Amino acid sequence: MKKSAGLLLLALMLLISACGSQASAPTGGTAAAGGNQDTKEPKKEDKVIKHIMSDSGFNGDIIKILKDEVAKQGYVLEPVIVNDIIQPNKIVDDGQADSNSFQHEAYFDQFVTDHGLKNIVRGFYTVFTPSGLYSKKYKKIEDVPDGATFGIPVDPANNGRALFMLRDLGRLKLKDGVTVTHASLKDITDNPHKYKFKEVDQLMLQRTLEDVDVGFLFAGTAVQIGFKPRTDALALEKGEGLPYKSIVAVRKDLVGSEKIKVLEKAYESQAIRDFYTSKYGDAIEFIDHLNKK
């Protein structure tokens, strides 16, 4: 009995001691210990830019330049390369990334509308590169025979671009008043040369060029496979009035933030300009002046 009483007394003393220690603990403990989080160490400033980039065109090639330009400003670029044109906007809208670079403004506007995205906006403009009609069989549009097949993008934002080039060349007619971002095959009112059209995903345009007489190509794709836009295109877009300006899209809550300013400055750097000029020559227009408006 005496032994049991002694053990009981010892246990009671230990319990009181433990309670006393907890009561005297500082109030600045962690949430797990039931403390007040207000005195936690301040979170370090977020200086990592999570940036989604397509593997098309020269997006992948400019990563090192962008990284260097961002690093000069005390930030870190964390790029993710994707071979998809659907996920980049959704990833930014979901908050999994800060920004993306792979699209022009017309595609962005259409995609945001079609998918009901709320948390992604245009951050800033970068460049305009003219798309064109190219062929591995013919050197001039006049050489293309009646009944020829043209490969064009199936997505609504780009579907009408080849049609507008053909219209401007007098090769077909379109419904009055239709805009380039809404034009489609159903808007053709006169097709005297009986052209046929093969609509494909824009990532398949290069491969489709092998199977058609003439194909629509984005400038970056054309240059990568050896074409020179100003001399080799059967038809080439003119930038004036077109909504196909390349953009960087960003999370809505980051608009005006320092990290987006850093990314914009990197895209406007002389190093980036020199790279693009080396690839596109005079078939590129730098439009960062639009960001100052």
Side-chain angles (χ1 to χ4, degrees):
M1 289 292 293
K2 287 183 179 180
K3 184 176 181 181
S4 298
L7 290 173
L8 182 59
L9 179 60
L10 178 61
L12 183 59
M13 291 175 64
L14 289 172
L15 178 61
I16 293 172
S17 175
C19 290
S21 297
Q22 186 172 2
S24 62
T27 59
T30 64
N36 188 332
Q37 296 185 60
D38 292 341
T39 58
K40 285 176 64 178
E41 182 179 345
K43 183 180 179 180
K44 292 182 178 179
E45 184 181 355
D46 180 11
K47 290 203 170 186
V48 176
I49 304 171
K50 297 179 180 178
H51 190 52
I52 308 296
M53 304 177 75
S54 167
D55 65 349
S56 64
F58 293 104
N59 270 316
D61 295 330
I62 66 171
I63 287 179
K64 184 180 185 306
I65 302 173
L66 285 177
K67 277 187 171 182
D68 290 345
E69 295 299 321
V70 165
K72 290 176 183 177
Q73 302 174 71
Y75 280 72
V76 175
L77 185 74
E78 190 176 281
V80 176
I81 303 298
V82 298
N83 60 352
D84 181 284
I85 63 170
I86 303 299
Q87 295 307 313
N89 284 325
K90 292 184 175 181
I91 291 172
V92 174
D93 189 72
D94 290 343
Q96 300 175 58
D98 301 318
S99 54
N100 68 45
S101 172
F102 75 101
Q103 64 195 324
H104 53 62
E105 190 170 30
Y107 177 84
F108 173 76
D109 289 344
Q110 188 69 50
F111 190 93
V112 167
T113 299
D114 291 347
H115 294 268
L117 303 187
K118 303 294 185 184
N119 302 314
I120 183 171
V121 297
R122 185 194 76 227
F124 53 89
Y125 295 104
T126 55
V127 298
F128 170 77
T129 51
S131 295
L133 297 177
Y134 295 85
S135 176
K136 291 192 173 182
K137 302 176 182 179
Y138 307 104
K139 296 296 184 182
K140 298 184 297 182
I141 193 67
E142 292 79 14
D143 297 335
V144 179
D146 290 355
T149 300
F150 288 70
I152 65 174
V154 69
D155 62 282
N158 292 296
N159 191 246
R161 299 176 77 172
L163 303 183
F164 260 61
M165 282 187 273
L166 290 172
R167 183 203 65 178
D168 293 344
L169 289 168
R171 311 303 289 182
L172 54 73
K173 293 181 179 179
L174 297 174
K175 183 169 65 179
D176 290 342
V178 67
T179 61
V180 66
T181 54
H182 293 93
S184 65
L185 297 180
K186 63 181 176 58
D187 295 308
I188 297 175
T189 58
D190 188 19
N191 184 8
H193 298 283
K194 296 180 174 57
Y195 292 147
K196 302 180 183 69
F197 297 92
K198 184 174 184 179
E199 297 176 293
V200 299
D201 183 277
Q202 58 176 266
L203 296 178
M204 294 294 292
L205 290 169
Q206 176 183 339
R207 189 177 302 177
T208 303
L209 189 63
E210 302 289 340
D211 305 319
V212 297
D213 297 295
V214 181
F216 173 96
L217 292 177
F218 296 106
T221 305
V223 171
Q224 283 184 318
I225 61 177
F227 287 115
K228 295 180 180 179
R230 292 293 180 196
T231 57
D232 296 336
L234 278 63
L236 197 65
E237 291 177 323
K238 297 178 182 178
E240 186 176 352
L242 286 178
Y244 299 111
K245 300 179 283 291
S246 295
I247 67 168
V248 168
V250 305
R251 277 193 359 237
K252 192 173 184 179
D253 61 300
L254 290 177
V255 173
S257 68
E258 188 62 27
K259 67 164 54 178
I260 298 306
K261 292 177 182 177
V262 165
L263 187 60
E264 180 179 340
K265 186 175 180 180
Y267 269 96
E268 293 178 355
S269 67
Q270 189 61 47
I272 288 291
R273 283 174 172 265
D274 291 344
F275 173 82
Y276 276 135
T277 300
S278 73
K279 298 298 183 182
Y280 292 102
D282 60 355
I284 187 170
E285 182 181 344
F286 297 99
I287 56 175
D288 47 71
H289 62 278
L290 297 176
N291 301 323
K292 309 301 187 289
K293 292 184 178 181

